[in-house]
Amino acid sequence: MERRGGVGEGLAPPPPQPLPLPTPSASFRMEDLPEEIQLLVLCLLSLKDAARASTVSRNWRKLWRRYPNLCFDGTKGGSADEDSVKIEKAKFVETVNAIIQQRSGIGLNKFSIRCSLQNNSSDHIDRWICFATASKAKIIDLNLWPKRTDACRTKNVYHFPLEALGAQGCSFIQSLFLTNVSIETLSDIHGFTKLRRLHLHHIQFIGDLPGLLSNCSVLEDLELIACSGLADLNIPHQLDKLRHLLISNMCVQMVDFHVTGLTHFVYKGDVIPIVLYGCSKLEKVTVTLYERVISNKGLGHAINGIPSISAVKELNICAYMQGYQPTWFSQVHSMARPTFMFVNLRHLTCEITIFTIDPNRHTGIFQLAHCLDCAPQLETMKLHMQYHVLGRPCWHGQEIFPMRRLDHLKTVHMSGFRCYRPQVELLHGILENGAALEHVTIEPMVTLFGSSIANRGIPQDEICEWAHRTSERFGKEITVVKAPRQRWW
């Protein structure tokens, strides 16, 4: 008999009913979206895909003409930029002209040209620059790769019209990247009040750089690479907003900047005076010193000759040393201790290339001990040493290079370590004074510029045996990074 209960007793709840789907009243159209959304959708496509999408529907036919990024690449090797359109040189000018004639609107975000065109096509390049300024492009990138036959010529260089960027009566450019062109810098050039990034690579300067930078009050990122026409980089006015400064392969006599907000500084070039005023916020410095006459000055100059980098937290040094003359072999204490302290330094990386006929008597790396003495907060040290002349290791060296206590040093990594006497004595000094050391790693192979160079002539087993004896002597574990068996001699 069926049991009957009260209300709500023994009855399963009814299953939920699905909600009816709304029937579309009209088909979706891209052009019905707000203009901001349309541009956002286009930004998710490359220029080529945006042009292809225009063939799907008659209503989409003109949408691609408002594409915000126009990047054209006419170089033979192409570009890694996915937004770039790879075009053969024969059709490059025709294609660029056809596209910019069809584009509408002023909301251009980026305009980029990469090609080998020079003065023989200056009229076309002028027209493209005028288009970019009329469209109020925020980013302009002009890279005129020179042909091999024109690489050393100066008459074929295109003159970029800086004055055109301010011709519209207001400032709009935020990033300017120029490569292989000439520019004339004048103090009355306008249009750079919003410029935040300025990269000048292989530029021929006519005039002075301060005249250009005096109008860049909000500049945050400045790169100068292999530019000519400047005797020095003396910028008298302050660049308070500048955060990143890179100077590479510049034939100048000095570097003098007022940069109170600088956080990252990179210098690659000859040993010259470098003065950076007010760098209290500096966090990272990379210094690569090339010497026309190789000597032992490079490392010492990086440590003791640039007092404005004393507030840095991460220091990377690349230098060269020479020891062919016997009078240099005894210069153990050749460098005076720095007159300033690296009070904030946490991470130190040194890449040193050494030219010597006797690695056991070349004591240039002892200069690092002076840096360690002036870096009381140092936590990590990486030292990569490449010797261009091989020598027999000094297995039984017992000396300890004198240095101060390293109370915060936790990690030490040395590549190119082959048990030469200066290497042994320096490491002994670190082991003796590094009370907080947690990881000590030595690597017979040397790592320079991101690549490894095999250790030649020194048996792997003997290096491991030396590391074991040294580890027992100082009570610190030493790890030897073993190279692949096929790369040992």
Side-chain angles (χ1 to χ4, degrees), residues 209-210 213 222 224 227 229-236 245-258 265-277 289 292 301 305-308:
L209 181 61
L213 298 183
L222 175 61
L224 300 170
C227 299
L230 298 174
D232 55 51
L233 294 175
N234 184 6
I235 311 300
L245 174 61
L246 185 150
I247 300 172
S248 176
N249 297 321
M250 297 285 293
C251 295
V252 295
Q253 301 300 315
M254 69 174 299
V255 173
D256 192 316
F257 275 76
H258 293 259
F265 174 61
V266 179
Y267 175 80
K268 298 180 181 180
D270 296 333
V271 176
I272 60 173
I274 299 176
V275 180
L276 305 174
Y277 295 97
L289 296 173
R292 297 174 183 177
H301 181 75
I306 314 177
S308 51

Side-chain angles (χ1 to χ4, degrees), residues 365-366 368-369 372 381-383 385 387 397-404 406 409-435 437 439-443 463 466-471 473-480:
I365 63 172
F366 286 156
L368 284 175
L372 298 179
M381 186 188 86
K382 296 181 180 180
L383 174 59
M385 300 162 285
Y387 288 81
Q398 300 294 321
E399 297 296 327
I400 299 176
F401 189 84
M403 62 181 67
R404 297 176 183 175
L406 306 170
L409 187 62
K410 298 180 179 180
T411 304
V412 172
H413 182 104
M414 294 184 176
S415 76
F417 191 92
R418 298 167 184 174
C419 294
Y420 298 143
R421 182 182 295 275
Q423 295 178 327
V424 170
E425 293 183 10
L426 179 62
L427 183 55
H428 282 178
I430 293 173
L431 292 170
E432 177 73 14
N433 295 278
L437 269 178
H439 303 283
V440 178
T441 304
I442 61 175
E443 184 178 2
I463 293 179
W466 175 90
H468 177 71
R469 295 196 307 268
T470 304
S471 176
R473 174 184 176 184
F474 292 96
K476 303 288 176 59
E477 183 178 355
I478 301 176
T479 301
V480 179

Side-chain angles (χ1 to χ4, degrees), residues 71 73 78-86 110 112 114 141:
C71 304
D73 193 340
S79 170
D81 188 351
E82 295 181 355
D83 292 336
S84 298
V85 176
K86 314 299 191 297
K110 181 178 181 180
S112 174
R114 296 169 60 91
D141 185 355

Side-chain angles (χ1 to χ4, degrees), residues 97-115:
N97 286 336
I99 291 179
I100 65 176
Q101 287 175 3
Q102 297 182 61
R103 192 190 183 279
S104 60
I106 63 172
L108 186 61
N109 178 59
K110 181 178 181 180
F111 183 76
S112 174
I113 294 289
R114 296 169 60 91
C115 62

Side-chain angles (χ1 to χ4, degrees), residues 217-221 238-244 260-262:
S217 57
V218 298
L219 190 64
E220 298 177 358
D221 181 5
Q238 295 186 358
L239 296 174
D240 296 335
K241 303 295 183 180
L242 194 64
R243 299 293 181 266
H244 175 266
T260 57
L262 194 66

Side-chain angles (χ1 to χ4, degrees), residues 107-126:
L108 186 61
N109 178 59
K110 181 178 181 180
F111 183 76
S112 174
I113 294 289
R114 296 169 60 91
C115 62
S116 297
L117 305 176
Q118 290 293 326
N119 264 355
N120 55 351
S121 301
S122 59
D123 292 342
H124 296 290
I125 302 175
D126 287 341

